[in-house]
Each structure stands twice: as C-alpha cells, then as structure tokens.
Amino acid sequence: MDFSSKLLENAVNEVSRLPGIGKRTALRLVLHLLKQPSENTKFLTEALSGLRENVNSCEKCHNISDTVICAICSNPNRNASLVCVVEDIRDVMAIESTAQFRGLYHVLGGKISPIEGIGPQNLQIESLVHKVKEGEIKELIFALSSTMEGDTTNFYIYKQIESYDVITSTIARGISVGDELEYADEVTLGRSIVNRIPFEQSIKS
Amino acid sequence: MDFSSKLLENAVNEVSRLPGIGKRTALRLVLHLLKQPSENTKFLTEALSGLRENVNSCEKCHNISDTVICAICSNPNRNASLVCVVEDIRDVMAIESTAQFRGLYHVLGGKISPIEGIGPQNLQIESLVHKVKEGEIKELIFALSSTMEGDTTNFYIYKQIESYDVITSTIARGISVGDELEYADEVTLGRSIVNRIPFEQSIKS
C-alpha cells in the first residue's frame, strides 16, 4: 500500500500487527478513529497503556486481577479444595458464566507447545504442583482444550502429582446440548458413547 | 462478560468500540498485547495518538498528508486540470495502485447521507466548486461508489457546476475483468451493454 502520510502508514502498520487484522482492516479502523473526536483515541490509548503498565495477576490462581488476591480466590463461599486447571482468563470467564462451578481456578497461562517454544517452565505448573504437595487440593479438574498441546500439558501435570493424595478428573467431552447427532464428528460421538452416564443422573442436571 | 479486572474491562470496552470488533475479538486482541513485550503496546498507542494529534490534510485536495500540499498535488508531472472526485483516502490509494491516472484528486471526506446526518456542508464540496469556477479544472471524473448516497452526491455537485466550462465524466461500470457473465448482477450487466465501447479501443487498453 502506498500511503500519502508517514503518520498514517505508521499507525496502520502497528494496528496490523495485531492477530487477525490485515492492512485493509487496520486502515479502516484508523480512518474511523480519525473521523471520531480525538478524545475517543485518547480513551483507547490510555486504556491500553493503563492495562499494560499496571496489569497484575492473582498470587494464588495467576488470573488477571487488579488486587493481589483475586475476587474468586478471596471468596469464602467457594470451595478452595476443588481446583479447575485452565489455560487463560477466557476459560475462567466461560466457566464462570455457567454458574455451575463453585471451586477455585488455576490459570496456567498457556499450554506446553514445543512448536511455539513454550515449555513447562514458561507456565504456572510449579506453583500448582506445590499446592497439591501441601495438601491444599482434594480434587483437580483438567479443563484444557482437547488438542495435542492440551493433552500433553494434562499428562505432564498428572505425572508430577499422581503419587499424591488428590482426585483428578477432566471435563466431559460429548455432543453439545441441542446438536444433531448426524453432524457430530466421530471422535466426539465415540467418546460420548464410551463415557455415557446413568439416565437418572442426566435428567437431574 | 464478567471481568476479574477493571483495567482489563476498560481496555476491552474501548477496543470493542471500533467498527466490526465485538467484545470477544477485543478480549483476544487485548490478551495478545498482554502476552507481548510492553514496548509493543507503547508503539501502538504512540502511533495512534501521534496520528490523531498531528494529522493534516492537503490544502488543495483534502487528502491526508503530512505536508501542507500533498505529494500528488505538488508533483509537476501530473495533469492539474484533470481532477478525480473521490470519497476518501482509500479510493485515492486504490486508483493510485492502478498507475492509470495521472491527474489530481479531490477528496470529499464522505458522501451526502441524510440518514447519517451528513449534508453538503460537512463535505469538501465548496472548495471543489470554487476550483471549477476559477477555471482550474478542465475535466472532472466522478469516482464515488454507485450507491444512492454516491449518486446523490454526484448529482448535487453536477448541478452546481453544470453552467461552467468543464467536462464531467464518471468511471465505467461493467463486468470485472476475469468475471463470468452468468454470475454478474443484471444492473451491472445491463449497464455494460448500454455503455459498450468500440472493439478496437478495448484491445488497445
């Protein structure tokens, strides 16, 4: 693209470095900001720098939090001995929105991925193993995505804690509620048959 | 969405005010910035505020430019008496990338749109009419999009300049090069037949 302004070119280049945003989209977004009052750009840039400079993570679960201990970890009504292992804050938000889980979380900050150069030392695994060793956790629920990286991470953590007195489980995989069986993939459908549950249990939940 | 951090919520809200970016995408973009070194956020916010605060438009054509007169308007090799009327800088970039136009541009900054509250007084129409009155322009090419708003804007400008000694034209509408006739819409196909050009002319261009 041939820009008539270095300032514009620079702004478009920076915006297009964001994931999933190409040069055309970046130009559209930047021109939108130019048509808006300059306060809007100020609010946007201040919100971004404010977050980046002052972001904190909870000392216990490593989730993004403005306080030293996050609202979930410091809630006395939640079951601190039941911990759900997730990849990032989006998973926490997704599970919280179901209102079905009353335990705590442990946010790993990613998955083990040799291709992206992410090893166990880059994730919050040591502190999780430490919690298990100290006997703080009775049950650990693995809720990572069921990809090769997710399975590897689950297995790596499991190997480190299997000798301790802790129950481990993974979230159920199966056909989505409301989905047609004929459109489900074979792996998911197969798992949902192998891991079938008693009918009496299904009508209660 | 239930955020664990006000800083995060604020950043996501500001990013999701951009057109075509929902809350989920905004969260993905913001989390991406958090995983990157903090310089990346600094470069992004500085580029955006730098543009918004120092942006300038060319005094002659009103295109975005870092100089008082833009590079196109100040190029002595371009034909200053041939002016192409466009909506915004994206149209200038699109036409420039064809390398088929050696005249100048006049950037209106939008189209007349009563629904969006944009009237002729919000666009750079007066200065265009002034240029025509002064006899600076021999031919005016209308290159607005062929929507109701574009046609209204063309007609509004045409009415103001028709009594002056200026040739007016609009860019050709027709089937895209490489497109199959059977998939073209009727209006475009119809126009391309009505506005057919001599075969000898078509094989030269």
Side-chain angles (χ1 to χ4, degrees):
Chain A
M1 280 200 223
D2 186 27
F3 293 93
S4 55
S5 153
K6 279 277 160 207
L7 285 168
L8 180 68
E9 186 172 5
N10 189 22
V12 169
N13 283 343
E14 286 298 331
V15 173
S16 67
R17 288 171 67 175
L18 292 170
I21 298 203
K23 290 258 163 139
R24 270 166 189 271
T25 306
L27 179 60
R28 190 165 54 83
L29 297 179
V30 168
L31 291 179
H32 170 83
L33 285 176
L34 284 180
K35 282 196 178 177
Q36 301 282 310
S38 63
E39 290 87 57
N40 291 21
T41 305
K42 200 164 150 255
F43 292 148
L44 172 66
T45 55
E46 282 177 355
L48 290 178
S49 5
L51 171 69
R52 192 65 189 84
E53 281 159 27
N54 305 313
V55 69
N56 240 317
S57 59
C58 171
E59 272 187 6
K60 283 186 77 174
C61 72
H62 311 291
N63 194 10
I64 296 171
S65 165
D66 295 342
T67 48
V68 179
I69 304 288
C70 75
I72 295 173
C73 287
S74 58
N75 184 342
N77 295 322
R78 299 189 73 125
N79 180 356
S81 65
L82 177 64
V83 171
C84 183
V85 181
V86 294
E87 193 186 327
D88 72 11
I89 187 172
R90 278 174 290 185
D91 305 322
V92 175
M93 288 165 70
I95 296 174
E96 281 299 286
S97 70
T98 68
Q100 295 289 318
F101 180 66
R102 299 301 299 163
L104 305 185
Y105 297 92
H106 185 94
V107 180
L108 294 176
K111 289 170 292 192
I112 296 174
S113 169
I115 292 169
E116 292 176 49
I118 302 172
Q121 72 284 355
N122 302 116
L123 305 174
Q124 300 291 352
I125 291 177
E126 214 181 287
S127 59
L128 176 64
V129 174
H130 182 77
K131 281 185 210 167
V132 173
K133 275 187 191 170
E134 297 290 314
E136 290 176 30
I137 302 174
K138 281 199 187 123
E139 183 177 349
L140 210 58
I141 306 172
F142 290 108
L144 302 187
S145 51
S146 55
T147 57
M148 204 178 66
E149 286 89 358
D151 290 344
T152 306
T153 312
N154 284 344
F155 192 70
Y156 180 89
I157 297 172
Y158 177 75
K159 276 284 150 197
Q160 303 224 21
I161 59 165
E162 62 176 335
S163 60
Y164 298 102
D165 182 27
V166 62
I167 300 164
T168 50
S169 58
T170 68
I171 55 169
R173 308 286 177 183
I175 307 299
S176 294
V177 178
D179 258 18
E180 307 267 3
L181 251 62
E182 55 180 324
Y183 300 123
D185 66 288
E186 300 86 351
V187 180
T188 305
L189 187 55
R191 279 217 211 175
S192 78
I193 290 169
V194 173
N195 301 323
R196 62 195 177 276
I197 58 165
F199 186 72
E200 292 80 13
Q201 188 181 324
S202 78
I203 52 176
K204 270 184 227 152
S205 68
Chain B
M1 278 202 225
D2 186 27
F3 292 94
S4 56
S5 154
K6 279 278 162 208
L7 286 168
L8 180 68
E9 186 171 5
N10 189 21
V12 169
N13 283 342
E14 286 298 331
V15 173
S16 67
R17 289 172 67 175
L18 292 169
I21 299 202
K23 288 261 163 133
R24 270 164 189 272
T25 307
L27 180 60
R28 190 166 54 83
L29 297 179
V30 168
L31 291 179
H32 170 84
L33 285 176
L34 284 180
K35 283 198 177 176
Q36 301 282 310
S38 63
E39 290 87 59
N40 291 20
T41 305
K42 202 165 150 252
F43 292 147
L44 173 66
T45 55
E46 283 177 355
L48 290 178
S49 0
L51 172 68
R52 192 65 190 83
E53 282 159 26
N54 305 312
V55 69
N56 239 317
S57 60
C58 170
E59 272 189 5
K60 281 186 77 175
C61 72
H62 311 291
N63 195 10
I64 296 170
S65 164
D66 296 341
T67 48
V68 180
I69 304 290
C70 76
I72 295 173
C73 287
S74 57
N75 184 342
N77 296 321
R78 300 190 73 128
N79 181 356
S81 64
L82 176 64
V83 170
C84 184
V85 181
V86 294
E87 192 186 329
D88 72 11
I89 187 172
R90 280 175 289 187
D91 306 321
V92 174
M93 288 166 71
I95 297 174
E96 280 300 284
S97 70
T98 69
Q100 295 289 320
F101 180 66
R102 300 303 297 165
L104 305 186
Y105 297 92
H106 185 93
V107 180
L108 294 177
K111 288 171 291 192
I112 296 173
S113 168
I115 293 171
E116 292 175 50
I118 303 172
Q121 72 285 358
N122 303 116
L123 304 173
Q124 298 291 351
I125 291 178
E126 211 181 290
S127 59
L128 175 63
V129 174
H130 182 78
K131 281 186 210 169
V132 173
K133 274 187 190 169
E134 296 291 310
E136 289 175 31
I137 303 174
K138 280 199 187 121
E139 184 178 348
L140 209 57
I141 305 172
F142 290 108
L144 302 188
S145 51
S146 56
T147 58
M148 204 180 65
E149 287 88 359
D151 290 344
T152 306
T153 313
N154 284 344
F155 192 69
Y156 179 89
I157 298 173
Y158 177 74
K159 276 284 149 198
Q160 305 225 18
I161 58 166
E162 63 177 337
S163 60
Y164 298 100
D165 183 25
V166 62
I167 300 164
T168 50
S169 58
T170 68
I171 56 169
R173 308 286 176 182
I175 308 298
S176 293
V177 178
D179 258 16
E180 307 268 3
L181 251 62
E182 55 180 323
Y183 300 122
D185 66 288
E186 299 87 351
V187 180
T188 306
L189 188 54
R191 278 217 212 176
S192 78
I193 290 171
V194 172
N195 302 323
R196 62 194 178 278
I197 57 164
F199 187 71
E200 293 80 14
Q201 188 181 327
S202 78
I203 53 176
K204 271 185 226 151
S205 68

